[in-house]
Each structure stands twice: as C-alpha cells, then as structure tokens.
Amino acid sequence: QVQLVESGGDLVQPGGSLRLSCAASGSALSSYAVAWYRQAPGKQRELVARITQSSIRNYADSVKGRFTISRDNTKNTVYLEMTSLKPEDTAVYFCNANLRPWATSGGSWGQGTQVTVSS
C-alpha cells in the first residue's frame, strides 16, 4: 500500500503560481497512475489532472493550459505546477494513486493541501 503526502499549498494572489508535490512512500509511485483532485467548500471533489503509468496526461477543462502534471520517478513524487491562478482554484488539493489508470474510485489518498487564491 502506497502512502501519499501532499505539500506546497499556500495563499497566493490571483495570477500567481504554485507547485504542489505528492510524495510517496511504501511503494514505487511509477507503478501507479496519479491524479490530483480538489474540493472547494460546499462542492464535490473534482478531478483536476491525471498522469498514467506511461505518462499520458489529462486535465479538467477549467485548468487546461494553466496546470501541468508531471512525475519524477527518481524522487517518487508527482507534481502539479499551477500558473495563472484564479480565485475559483481555491480548494483543498488531494493526490490519489491507483493501479488502474482510468479508475474513478479507489486507490490511496493523501491528506490534502490547502490552496487559497485571494488578493
């Protein structure tokens, strides 16, 4: 079972940038598809970006062109680079690791990291 720890969340002004990290232990993250989800207050958790074991990427329409997901297997870490941040990006961001690349449930979750976009 892989354990995940997210970091990098912060308070940032609109138009700013952040890089979130999802560090794994207990198993090689390269064996998993990893996805970033977010949940804003009063809203359902939504998929933001996913990278499969073969590094196929997909993104939510709301973040295309602004967010980039990548993986560094030597560091057992997946990153989410976020640019041109908007207030509506404010949420708790979670990473999920799943052996099934296109699964929409299951897998292992981290505890989340808070991103707040506000002036």
Side-chain angles (χ1 to χ4, degrees):
Q1 184 88 359
V2 64
Q3 291 84 47
L4 305 173
V5 177
E6 302 96 331
S7 62
D10 205 347
L11 170 64
V12 62
Q13 291 189 342
S17 300
L18 279 177
R19 187 177 78 161
L20 305 183
S21 299
C22 174
S25 61
S27 189
L29 203 53
S30 58
S31 299
Y32 296 81
V34 178
W36 284 97
Y37 289 77
R38 66 186 180 188
Q39 187 165 21
K43 295 189 176 181
Q44 288 190 331
R45 190 173 296 190
E46 64 173 351
L47 176 67
V48 176
R50 177 193 286 116
I51 186 165
T52 69
Q53 293 91 329
S54 56
S55 293
I56 296 172
R57 298 166 174 83
N58 71 303
Y59 298 92
D61 287 344
S62 59
V63 307
K64 279 181 183 176
R66 299 189 299 121
F67 290 12
T68 303
I69 190 169
S70 63
R71 64 195 311 156
D72 185 339
N73 292 332
T74 65
K75 296 183 178 179
N76 224 21
T77 300
V78 167
Y79 302 99
L80 185 68
E81 192 79 37
M82 306 187 294
T83 63
S84 301
L85 283 162
K86 305 175 181 180
E88 51 263 43
D89 295 317
T90 295
V92 179
Y93 284 70
F94 301 88
C95 64
N96 174 274
N98 201 310
L99 290 172
R100 297 178 296 153
W102 304 110
T104 57
S105 64
S108 299
W109 291 89
Q111 84 291 347
T113 186
Q114 176 71 49
V115 172
T116 303
V117 184
S118 175
S119 54

